Amino acid sequence: SMTIEVWAPRAARVRLRRPGRDDVELTATDAGWWRAPLTLAPGAEYGFVLGDADAARPDPRSRRQPRGVHDLSAWDDPASFAWTDQSWTGRGLAGGLIYELHIGTFTPEGTYAAAIEKLSYRPNQVARALHGKSTHTIGVIVPTVALPFFGELAADLEDALAEHGYRILICNSMGRAEREREYLDLLVSHRVDGIISGAHNENLSEHGTVRMPLVTIDRDLAPTVPNVRCDNEDGGRQATAHLLERGVRRPALLTSRSGSHNRREAGYRAVLEEAGIEPIVLTVDFHTPDAERGGLIAQRLGSVADVIDGVFATDDLSAAAAIEWAHERGRRVPEDLHVVGFDGTSAVRRAMPGLSTFQQPIEEIARTAVRTLMEQVRAAGPGGAERDVAVAPIELPGRLLVGRTS
């Protein structure tokens, strides 16, 4: 005895064709999962047909076999048989509907799973989502995993999600707001169970319409959206204070965008204000193409070359560009120019082991973001995640790594 289980997106008919015998028919009167018990004889051939409940039956005189015909004689034990398919077309079928069909036995325990493995069946996650089931998938939006910080972050997020039984869909926005909008639509339409956003595009109102669990990493979307980040202001303070302790008197800040949202800049300014030193802020936009970035950094530094004796760069790649600029001008690091970066990723640490930098706790950031998202996933109701209470950012401490460049 076996069970046929069908997901019908609307009223539909399922028929089990048994040559030489009466068909077994199941009619789904509305959308949902429908089941019917069956008895399958060893060595017999069965076909499966789906169609609209109001549609005419396939022509019984046709010799064309419907999709899904399976010869049970190939199985030593028909009780271990399980069969799946996702799409159905054929003579007499109307509407070109897409269904997911499962047929199998659920006893003895483990038989169905063994049959699925033998058939190399992969569940249709879209069909699971339509039925209100979890897809066990989380969408992650980052600028690009080509950047060391986001590449390492994505890997740590994937590990942390795997521990909870979730898979990851990584979307690279490439600094384009329109692409991030498209990815948001993609993730929502694919019914992911939640989204972690670390993209840096500003003024993107579409996030406000997302009614699913949502966490950001180092990005202020809204007061009600949890934001997990390194304690950036403390990092800015430590890096700048370290430069002053090494004798620097005119440190420049090399950053992406200047403003109140830049907490690394806030730390830099606070230390200089306490020391009575005028800030020098140089900006090169985060999304500047790689081919142009080095030249723009050289221009910004060149404009204050006769003034500065130190650089605090708010990411390690910019710090590397500042060191290269100094070498090209014949300035020694750290004798003539002290340099401190920010991020401390494994990749940059291997490439530039002597770089002084403020290291972010990337693995802890990833695990905290996943844990926060999982809390939302468990609490989400049928209408989606409710976000009507403001939450404070979750700030994690980093550490200053002193190297040869400062």
Side-chain angles (χ1 to χ4, degrees):
S1 177
M2 309 180 74
T3 299
I4 184 171
E5 184 181 60
V6 178
W7 164 253
R10 58 186 173 88
R13 171 180 291 123
V14 179
R15 292 197 300 122
L16 173 67
R17 298 189 62 189
R18 304 188 296 180
R21 302 175 62 187
D22 293 337
D23 292 349
V24 175
E25 184 171 297
L26 168 67
T27 299
T29 56
D30 54 21
W33 283 97
W34 294 83
R35 297 179 177 87
L38 301 173
T39 300
L40 303 181
E45 185 181 72
Y46 294 89
F48 308 91
V49 179
L50 288 178
D52 286 348
D54 298 327
R57 295 191 177 192
D59 184 351
R61 297 168 297 179
S62 173
R63 294 187 177 182
R64 179 179 177 181
Q65 292 288 352
R67 291 187 62 181
V69 170
H70 204 98
D71 185 357
L72 298 188
S73 62
W75 292 76
D76 296 332
D77 176 11
S80 69
F81 172 69
W83 185 87
T84 58
D85 198 358
Q86 297 170 355
S87 63
W88 296 82
T89 58
R91 182 169 181 155
L93 300 185
L97 300 179
I98 296 178
Y99 300 83
E100 184 171 9
L101 174 65
H102 306 270
I103 182 169
T105 180
F106 301 97
T107 56
E109 186 175 357
T111 301
Y112 190 56
I116 285 178
E117 182 178 357
K118 184 170 183 177
L119 291 169
S120 300
Y121 171 64
R122 297 295 179 268
N124 185 325
Q125 297 301 333
V126 175
R128 289 179 58 86
L130 287 172
H131 189 47
K133 296 182 179 180
S134 169
T135 60
H136 283 88
T137 304
I138 299 298
V140 174
I141 306 177
V142 295
T144 171
V145 294
L147 292 173
F149 174 80
F150 291 105
E152 189 168 321
L153 175 66
D156 287 337
L157 285 171
E158 184 171 10
D159 285 344
L161 286 168
E163 292 177 6
H164 291 271
Y166 281 79
R167 296 162 301 176
I168 187 173
L169 280 178
I170 300 178
C171 306
N172 295 281
S173 70
M174 305 304 293
R176 303 173 193 167
E178 186 56 37
R179 179 172 288 190
E180 184 173 353
R181 291 189 184 95
E182 293 172 356
Y183 277 135
L184 274 175
D185 290 341
L186 174 71
L187 295 175
V188 171
S189 64
H190 278 66
R191 306 285 183 91
V192 296
D193 291 345
I195 295 175
I196 298 175
S197 178
H200 286 188
N201 297 305
E202 297 180 346
N203 304 318
L204 216 65
S205 61
E206 283 76 4
H207 285 91
T209 65
V210 175
R211 306 300 299 172
M212 64 173 53
L214 174 64
V215 171
T216 65
I217 293 180
D218 202 11
R219 182 181 188 185
D220 291 314
L221 278 183
T224 58
V225 177
N227 179 13
V228 182
R229 65 191 183 195
C230 172
D231 190 340
N232 290 308
E233 186 168 348
D234 177 64
R237 279 181 169 273
Q238 289 195 44
T240 307
H242 170 68
L243 288 173
L244 298 189
E245 291 169 1
R246 290 305 174 98
V248 175
R249 288 294 167 260
R250 294 305 308 275
L253 176 73
L254 180 57
T255 190
S256 174
R257 297 168 186 168
S258 178
S260 59
H261 64 281
N262 189 335
R263 304 317 301 166
R264 299 173 194 179
E265 178 184 352
Y268 162 83
R269 288 181 177 275
V271 171
L272 293 193
E273 183 178 1
E274 294 168 0
I277 299 175
E278 189 70 21
I280 301 174
V281 178
L282 310 173
T283 61
V284 175
D285 191 87
F286 179 81
H287 299 305
T288 301
D290 290 342
E292 304 172 16
R293 186 175 180 81
L296 289 176
I297 289 176
Q299 289 180 20
R300 302 292 191 271
L301 292 171
S303 67
V304 292
D306 297 334
V307 179
I308 63 173
D309 55 354
V311 174
F312 166 38
T314 57
D315 68 87
D316 286 340
L317 295 184
S318 294
I323 294 172
E324 181 65 19
W325 169 81
H327 288 162
E328 290 177 352
R329 292 181 64 91
R331 300 184 66 170
R332 299 168 299 166
V333 177
E335 291 82 1
D336 303 322
L337 186 75
H338 294 70
V339 178
V340 176
F342 203 105
D343 285 340
T345 61
S346 297
V348 175
R349 295 291 296 164
R350 287 194 297 269
M352 302 181 65
L355 176 66
S356 295
T357 186
F358 188 82
Q359 186 177 52
Q360 297 199 60
I362 300 176
E363 182 178 356
E364 188 177 356
I365 289 173
R367 291 188 173 278
T368 302
V370 169
R371 184 170 61 251
T372 304
L373 188 71
M374 290 297 104
E375 292 172 356
Q376 292 187 39
V377 170
R378 288 190 291 268
E386 295 294 334
R387 284 189 293 273
D388 50 9
V389 179
V391 291
I394 302 173
E395 295 190 323
L396 304 174
R399 59 174 181 158
L400 182 67
L401 302 178
V402 178
R404 295 188 297 273
T405 62
S406 61

